[in-house]
Amino acid sequence: MKSYVSVILLTLFCLNSFSQSTKAPAYPLITHDPYFSIWSNTDQLNASPTKHWTGNAHSLTGFLKVDGTIYQFLGAEGPSFNNILPAGDDVNYQAKYTETTPAEDWMKPTFNDSEWKTAIAPVGNIDGVSKTRWTSRDIWFRRTFTLDKVDFNEPLLKLQHDDDVWVYLNGELIYTARCCAGKYLMLPMTAEMKSKLKKGKNVFAIHVINTGGGALVDVGIVQKSIPVKPQNIVLAEQKSVKINATQTIYEFSCGKIDLNVTFTSPLLITDLDILSRPVSYVSTKVKANDGKSHSVELSFAASTDIACNVSSQEVSANKYVASNLSILKAGTTEQAILKKKGDDLRIDWGYMYVAVANDKNISQFISDNAKPFQAGKIAAKTGKKLSLHTVATMGSIGSLAKEQVIMLGYDDLYSIQYFGKNLLPWWKEDKSTTIETLMAKALKEYPSIIEKCLQTNEMIYNDALKSGGTDYAALCELAYRQAISAHKLVKSPEGEILFLSKENFSNGSINTVDVTYPSAPLFLAYNPDLLKGMLNGIFYYSESGKWKKPFAAHDLGTYPLANGQTYGEDMPVEECGNMIILAAAICKAEGKTDYAKKHWETIKIWADYLSKEGFDPATQLCTDDFAGHLARNTNLSIKAIVALETFTQLAKQLNETELYNKYEKLTREYVNKWQEMASSGDHFALTFDKKDTWSQKYNLVWDKVLKLNYFPRSVFDKEVKYYLTKQNQFGLPLDSRATYTKSDWIVWTSVLTDNKADFDAILKPIYYYSQNTTSRVPISDWHDTKTGKMVGFQARSVVGGYFMKVLEDKFKDK
């Protein structure tokens, strides 16, 4: 970029001083969708490798050479693992297996497994990962291998299992776990475990029980290799970090040069064309801090792992010039488009891009490692774990700042499979647009895009500050990019907007209704069309006749395949309530009933279901399915009642007088009956039949935010007063059954009160959690209120629910 752009941008960045967020559980760097997502999990940008939200390395590295001294400011080299016994992700080894209960001595080395089936590992039911199909409940698996020696230094058991597992080595049980390991575990082999190894023939015997969902088994042995930091590289001194809605901004000192590094993912919630662009900017601005001039060079490298599911996949990379850009491109040689589905998966089709303005001071090349300022000039290469290098000679730098902008892009070719049809990403609606022309446009518009980002940053921060104060504003800043980038924006074959979520770090479902529900406040507050995109697929599923049940589906499949529900159990009251409430909320946001009218016949069916089954729910799951099945759930009952409230008001607005009269009477009766049956003295119980329990009644918030006012104010006040007696250091527990909580629900619960002091008291522990949790991952919405550690879930869109207080204020005048 030209120097005049740098001057303009420096001025713009000075306007960004309103941001309050300086710390996060993890720092968003590149955030676009569930696949194109890169984070830093440490407070210092150069203290750890950058990673995908799943925890797999998606390495970015950055170095600045100042007068010959090299300073590292971005990323770090993580540990690597050398194979002793390669697992199936590296070598397609053969093993024996059976799905029929074997003899008792099946784990012994002497057992004759010749009648068992032969497998190519890994074995399981995950498309594109499993080489041998296993779909039953149990599998017994034997891997025979030979070792020339056993005196390994600190070997690790490399194990992947889904779900419960028992691992035997030469007939002895060495490991068991009653859970799922969705990715490879590197388990230290104790002295006792090592003693089971012997020269010559050895046998791993493994029993896995698939309790539901994914199924997988694979095993190997590795050793960790710790990288040695080159002596000629100095760590840049990080001075500060700031986070706002669309940017993460770092300040460094590299000797006599000050360095500003800004990661911008322009997720402009009010501009879908820009939001859908899979292009992020990495801006580096340098300036002397001693009044003198210094020679400066920049080195930036991106790992081709960004385009792989696992690092053992072969990739092809090349350099070329197009649209006045110098471009590095890489992708797997396999290109298995939309062949894999599941949670702990990265994209391995399509292509990643690193692009800069084509300039004589820029050098781009490909190598086998991320070492900076190499002499290599390789323009095309095939291999594994390659590095895409960009080196910029920034020249003599003095008191006038100079900027270098690097773009990272990803063309996934096809994004989603929707009931059998592969859908292009939103940005490809114009068939003449290529990734090269898109990146060229993104670079040309860079100054105006940054200005729009700054406006969005300020809007998000100031709205939240006005609604809830500085702590609340900081939480909303942390949530913004995470909530949006857990979705993919496409159009349906019928031309409808689809904004499809991935249930990250959970079960990988696509378009889960009870994930849409907590995510909704952000999108209702700023762009209801995106919430329509979260509901349209579910309405289509019912209205097309593909889903035939009289209640809403739970999901549309497993990401990225939206071909129909794959979750093993329905949540009828939960999902009907969610869909009706959110359809009504869209009408509230738009000030018209068009969206509900379009789907009125379906909504009527769901309302009828809730009128019969919703008030006193039978044993079933709700959105908090991790807590298990529950009968007579009073909070789920509230959801059904509030959904009927919204349906009643929609019927009135649509001049459905008979329906209005019927449901108005029924809903009022339910509200009164609920208060009587749920009452437990100074609070309301978790279930109608257990008065010594309690729970957060977060579903009540819609009665207040939508100004329905069916429940009396006394219900809200009684609950809030009781909650204030139950808080722990890191927040209010979800209910009386455990000490864990959901942070999105706590924010909703804080909105139940009109008392600022009570709001602050409920909210502050969540802000404290965001600043002090030891779980360094993109915000986990499910954590323990005593330890502050995540229990499960991370990087999910549900943090969009943090915007409920902002939404309440925006709805006050509607």
Side-chain angles (χ1 to χ4, degrees):
M1 297 296 291
K2 303 295 184 182
S3 60
Y4 73 86
V5 173
S6 300
V7 175
I8 292 172
L9 289 173
L10 283 173
T11 303
L12 288 172
F13 282 122
C14 289
L15 298 177
N16 208 25
S17 59
F18 59 79
S19 175
Q20 299 295 308
S21 300
T22 58
K23 189 175 180 183
Y27 297 81
L29 305 179
I30 309 295
T31 49
H32 287 281
D33 60 44
Y35 287 139
F36 192 27
S37 178
I38 307 174
W39 299 70
S40 173
N41 291 354
T42 48
D43 296 324
Q44 305 295 315
L45 183 60
N46 53 11
S48 65
T50 59
K51 297 180 178 182
H52 186 260
W53 62 260
T54 56
N56 283 53
H58 274 189
S59 178
L60 302 176
T61 55
F63 303 84
L64 202 69
K65 185 188 290 185
V66 179
D67 297 332
T69 300
I70 300 174
Y71 297 87
Q72 182 164 8
F73 63 86
L74 167 61
E77 190 173 354
S80 59
F81 298 93
N82 300 323
N83 282 321
I84 296 172
L85 177 68
D89 60 335
D90 283 322
V91 175
N92 292 331
Y93 66 85
Q94 287 191 350
K96 291 288 190 175
Y97 77 101
T98 182
E99 296 171 82
T100 304
T101 304
E104 291 184 357
D105 63 343
W106 70 274
M107 76 290 293
K108 300 296 183 183
T110 55
F111 178 77
N112 182 2
D113 58 18
S114 61
E115 298 299 317
W116 287 19
K117 299 175 184 176
T118 298
I120 302 296
V123 177
N125 66 359
I126 300 177
D127 293 337
V129 174
S130 307
K131 299 297 193 303
T132 300
R133 199 76 180 169
W134 160 43
T135 58
S136 63
R137 182 176 183 270
D138 290 82
I139 190 169
W140 290 263
F141 175 96
R142 286 171 56 91
R143 179 181 187 182
T144 301
F145 59 100
T146 301
L147 295 176
D148 295 329
K149 64 175 186 176
V150 294
D151 56 337
F152 304 110
N153 182 33
E154 298 182 358
L156 303 169
L157 179 68
K158 182 177 179 180
L159 177 68
Q160 190 169 33
H161 61 92
D162 192 350
D163 296 284
D164 301 347
V165 68
W166 293 260
V167 180
Y168 298 85
L169 176 56
N170 292 326
E172 301 291 335
L173 182 67
I174 62 168
Y175 180 78
T176 184
R178 297 276 187 171
C179 61
C180 162
K183 63 179 63 183
Y184 286 100
L185 302 175
M186 303 296 183
L187 303 168
M189 294 186 70
T190 64
E192 184 179 359
M193 293 167 68
K194 282 177 61 178
S195 70
K196 306 294 187 279
L197 291 171
K198 57 186 180 180
K199 289 184 180 181
K201 180 181 175 182
N202 294 262
V203 178
F204 274 123
I206 304 174
H207 178 204
V208 180
I209 299 176
N210 176 27
T211 58
L216 201 66
V217 58
D218 191 15
V219 66
I221 304 174
V222 298
Q223 279 181 307
K224 182 184 287 188
S225 174
I226 304 296
V228 178
K229 186 177 180 295
Q231 293 182 350
N232 66 329
I233 295 178
V234 179
L235 287 181
E237 182 184 358
Q238 184 174 309
K239 297 291 189 179
S240 67
V241 58
K242 290 185 178 180
I243 303 169
N244 54 47
T246 65
Q247 298 169 308
T248 303
I249 305 165
Y250 294 89
E251 299 285 350
F252 292 94
S253 175
C254 299
K256 303 301 182 181
I257 291 291
D258 289 338
L259 168 66
N260 172 292
V261 183
T262 300
F263 297 87
T264 303
S265 292
L267 300 182
L268 305 182
I269 197 167
T270 57
D271 188 328
L272 299 189
D273 289 336
I274 294 177
L275 181 147
S276 70
R277 286 183 189 173
V279 181
S280 275
Y281 305 102
V282 182
S283 160
T284 57
K285 292 190 289 290
V286 293
K287 179 181 178 181
N289 56 34
D290 65 350
K292 299 179 182 180
S293 295
H294 301 275
S295 174
V296 177
E297 288 182 83
L298 170 73
S299 176
F300 175 87
S303 170
T304 56
D305 282 353
I306 295 168
C308 297
N309 178 42
V310 293
S311 60
S312 59
Q313 289 179 288
E314 183 182 72
V315 295
S316 179
N318 66 289
K319 172 195 169 185
Y320 62 104
V321 174
S323 301
N324 204 31
L325 297 175
S326 179
I327 301 172
L328 291 166
K329 171 185 177 181
T332 61
T333 56
E334 181 186 13
Q335 286 300 306
I337 298 173
L338 294 170
K339 296 299 183 183
K340 295 180 177 68
K341 64 178 182 178
D343 185 31
D344 187 22
L345 295 173
R346 276 66 49 198
I347 194 169
D348 62 0
W349 70 89
Y351 298 91
M352 63 177 288
Y353 295 82
V354 181
V356 292
N358 190 28
D359 187 275
K360 64 180 181 179
N361 295 318
I362 297 291
S363 171
Q364 288 191 306
F365 57 92
I366 302 152
S367 80
D368 290 317
N369 59 68
K371 292 180 181 178
F373 306 107
Q374 300 176 61
K377 302 297 180 183
I378 299 174
K381 188 175 179 62
T382 298
K384 299 178 181 180
K385 291 184 69 67
L386 304 178
S387 287
L388 308 182
H389 292 262
T390 300
V391 177
T393 301
M394 303 187 78
S396 181
I397 302 298
S399 57
L400 181 64
K402 186 173 183 179
E403 180 181 36
Q404 177 63 54
V405 176
I406 300 171
M407 296 184 296
L408 267 69
Y410 205 103
D411 181 1
D412 57 11
L413 305 180
Y414 287 96
S415 300
I416 299 292
Q417 188 173 96
Y418 185 71
F419 294 103
K421 183 175 179 59
N422 292 351
L423 302 183
L424 294 167
W426 181 279
W427 64 270
K428 283 190 175 181
E429 285 298 309
D430 180 352
K431 298 297 190 296
S432 66
T433 300
T434 65
I435 189 67
E436 290 87 0
T437 59
L438 185 74
M439 290 189 297
K441 185 177 183 181
L443 186 59
K444 180 180 179 181
E445 295 178 351
Y446 176 63
S448 63
I449 294 295
I450 293 297
E451 186 171 3
K452 290 176 181 178
C453 285
L454 294 174
Q455 291 168 357
T456 296
N457 298 342
E458 191 165 6
M459 173 183 71
I460 295 299
Y461 181 80
N462 286 341
D463 284 354
L465 179 67
K466 181 180 177 181
S467 292
T470 56
D471 290 353
Y472 178 63
L475 283 171
C476 289
E477 286 182 311
L478 294 179
Y480 181 84
R481 267 176 284 173
Q482 177 171 318
I484 294 175
S485 63
H487 297 81
K488 188 68 178 182
L489 184 64
V490 293
K491 280 188 179 179
S492 74
E494 294 74 29
E496 286 193 317
I497 181 175
L498 296 173
F499 192 52
L500 303 176
S501 65
K502 181 173 189 285
E503 195 168 342
N504 290 341
F505 214 79
S506 179
N507 67 351
S509 288
I510 187 169
N511 206 180
T512 304
V513 176
D514 56 281
V515 168
T516 293
Y517 177 69
S519 307
L522 168 62
F523 306 102
L524 281 167
Y526 294 105
N527 193 342
D529 282 345
L530 287 172
L531 182 55
K532 291 179 186 176
M534 298 155 78
L535 303 187
N536 285 341
I538 300 295
F539 275 120
Y540 170 79
Y541 196 14
S542 282
E543 292 165 358
S544 66
K546 300 177 190 298
W547 177 259
K548 302 181 185 300
K549 299 178 183 181
F551 46 79
H554 169 271
D555 60 78
L556 291 183
T558 302
Y559 197 93
L561 307 184
N563 295 323
Q565 180 172 311
T566 51
Y567 192 72
E569 185 173 347
D570 298 326
M571 298 184 190
V573 174
E574 173 70 36
E575 312 304 19
C576 282
N578 293 340
M579 290 295 293
I580 296 173
I581 291 169
L582 295 182
I586 288 172
C587 296
K588 180 79 168 180
E590 294 187 325
K592 55 185 180 181
T593 58
D594 293 10
Y595 192 72
K597 186 175 182 179
K598 179 179 179 180
H599 301 290
W600 189 239
E601 293 305 312
T602 304
I603 290 172
K604 284 197 295 185
I605 293 171
W606 294 343
D608 179 65
Y609 181 87
L610 289 180
S611 72
K612 298 170 181 175
E613 306 291 341
F615 174 73
D616 194 353
T619 300
Q620 60 187 270
L621 295 173
C622 70
T623 182
D624 304 317
D625 55 357
F626 52 84
H629 295 77
L630 193 64
R632 314 199 71 188
N633 183 340
T634 60
N635 190 44
L636 187 57
S637 176
I638 288 173
K639 178 168 289 181
I641 295 170
V642 173
L644 293 174
E645 293 174 12
T646 63
F647 178 78
T648 299
Q649 295 308 307
L650 286 171
K652 183 178 183 180
Q653 294 169 45
L654 291 169
N655 297 315
E656 296 266 7
T657 304
E658 185 175 345
L659 275 178
Y660 169 74
N661 290 335
K662 172 185 174 182
Y663 280 92
E664 172 72 7
K665 181 175 183 293
L666 179 67
T667 303
R668 295 289 181 188
E669 290 175 355
Y670 280 168
V671 169
N672 292 332
K673 191 176 180 181
W674 185 94
Q675 294 175 74
E676 295 173 6
M677 292 176 58
S679 180
S680 185
D682 59 353
H683 70 283
F684 296 94
L686 167 66
T687 62
F688 286 125
D689 57 336
K690 295 179 180 178
K691 301 300 183 180
D692 59 343
T693 60
W694 65 274
S695 65
Q696 291 188 50
K697 307 302 189 299
Y698 54 81
N699 287 320
L700 265 177
V701 74
W702 294 106
D703 182 275
K704 181 172 182 271
V705 169
L706 296 176
K707 296 186 285 190
L708 301 167
N709 302 320
Y710 279 69
F711 281 86
R713 188 67 246 170
S714 59
V715 171
F716 295 77
D717 294 341
K718 179 187 289 189
E719 281 290 280
V720 169
K721 184 178 179 180
Y722 187 79
Y723 298 151
L724 293 173
T725 70
K726 296 296 181 180
Q727 296 205 109
N728 292 321
Q729 183 180 15
F730 293 95
L732 176 67
L734 181 66
D735 57 48
S736 53
R737 290 175 290 178
T739 59
Y740 58 62
T741 196
K742 292 281 272 81
S743 57
D744 46 340
W745 298 148
I746 289 182
V747 177
W748 289 28
T749 295
S750 73
V751 180
L752 297 181
T753 181
D754 287 323
N755 182 300
K756 183 62 165 62
D758 290 347
F759 170 83
D760 288 342
I762 294 173
L763 186 82
K764 279 186 179 297
I766 297 305
Y767 175 72
Y768 184 79
Y769 160 71
S770 75
Q771 302 298 292
N772 294 282
T773 179
T774 57
S775 300
R776 305 310 301 270
V777 297
I779 303 171
S780 170
D781 54 285
W782 180 20
H783 71 269
D784 188 89
T785 60
K786 289 187 174 181
T787 67
K789 294 180 180 180
M790 70 176 289
V791 178
F793 307 153
Q794 64 194 44
R796 299 208 309 165
S797 66
V798 301
V799 294
Y802 289 6
F803 285 80
M804 183 60 87
K805 184 62 176 172
V806 170
L807 180 64
E808 180 187 36
D809 288 346
K810 287 186 176 294
F811 275 4
K812 281 181 179 176
D813 297 326
K814 292 184 178 289

